[in-house]
Amino acid sequence: MADAPYPRDLRGYGRNPPHPHWPDNARIAVQFVVNFEEGGENNILHGDAASEAFLSDVLGARPWPGQRHANVESMFEYGSRAGFWRLWRMFTERKLPTTVFGVATALKRNPEIVAAMKEAGWDIASHGLKWIEHKDMSEARERAEIAEAIRVHTEATGERPRGWYTGRSSFNTIRLLMEAGGLMYLCDSYADDLPYWIKGATAPQLIIPYTLDANDMRFINAQGFGGGDEFFTYLKDSFDVLYAEGETQPKMMSVGLHCRVVGRPGRAASLIRFLDYVQKHDRVWVPTRLQIAEHWHKNLAHLAESAPGLG
């Protein structure tokens, strides 16, 4: 009896990854993501069963079934009231674009912030309808949540999302997003330093991997960054290795940011140092994820021919 096909791609590009031919012969593409989740997190005000317990400075927080958590809520409010605007100024003053992973209900609750994102020319990708776990959702419910997220995102931003990152995803998420259609790129993967294609039922789908290591969430995770120097050093070391490799094999570096985390002054200082460090180098491309997707679709679409199917 033949072994069943193994559903994971452990090989990837192998020994010889493709040359991405980034614009202007760049040695590295450095891509910043600003996650906007404030107002879309778990909250009984939003019809959820309990308070939020993930990614706040209330260390060791647990969900409070049927109750609101005043401290957690106010920390999320810091992200939209102050942290976002600090990040917005940092990037716009340096004329560096970002991609937003925007939770649809959070975007809907803050039109002033959406207007600022659009003014800056940021790519606003979907981060789902609400910032909640999808792993235990039925397929039917997750499909409905995706459809509603697209509707609310379009209403809040004036445009249908072109990219998507759920984050708190299920094993059905990527397939359901491919079925929904109209998405130039998906990001629920951490599997490579370059975008890659997977085959779907009707068309190939571009995956642009994200990061949880070069990510400010480690400021508030166990064994994470103890302070700004550690964050800066980790980002700098990641950049330096990829920049050196980029002389012959250019790659992409993702940096994940959250308004309520690195938007705090004591952490923002380390991000400012890294932005200035990046801008001291030549042959560096700082694009949005949509720009990367457009480049890949235009110049590396042929790689889809040998892409594996979705596991």
Side-chain angles (χ1 to χ4, degrees), residues 5 18 70 83 87 119 129 140 168 174 189 251 263 266 299 306:
L87 295 180
E119 177 188 329
L129 179 64
R168 301 166 84 166
I174 290 180
S189 171
K251 304 287 192 339
N299 298 286
S306 57

Side-chain angles (χ1 to χ4, degrees), residues 28-35 55 91 99 101 165 189-190 192-193 209-221 223-225 227-228 230-242 252-258 261-262 270-271 274-275 278 289:
I28 184 173
V30 182
Q31 204 291 301
F32 295 93
V33 169
V34 173
N35 290 269
L55 212 56
F91 281 96
T99 285
F101 287 165
Y165 174 72
S189 171
Y190 315 94
D192 213 297
D193 295 315
Y210 185 47
T211 179
L212 296 183
D213 67 302
N215 191 308
D216 67 358
M217 67 183 291
R218 293 183 58 200
F219 274 116
I220 49 184
N221 283 359
Q223 297 181 335
F225 302 126
E230 292 181 16
F231 184 49
F232 170 76
T233 298
Y234 193 87
L235 295 182
K236 177 183 177 296
D237 287 350
S238 300
F239 176 91
D240 288 347
V241 169
L242 292 170
M252 166 185 155
M253 176 182 175
S254 296
V255 181
L257 309 170
H258 297 77
V261 181
V262 80
S270 57
L271 178 59
F274 182 66
L275 296 180
V278 168
R289 286 186 169 241

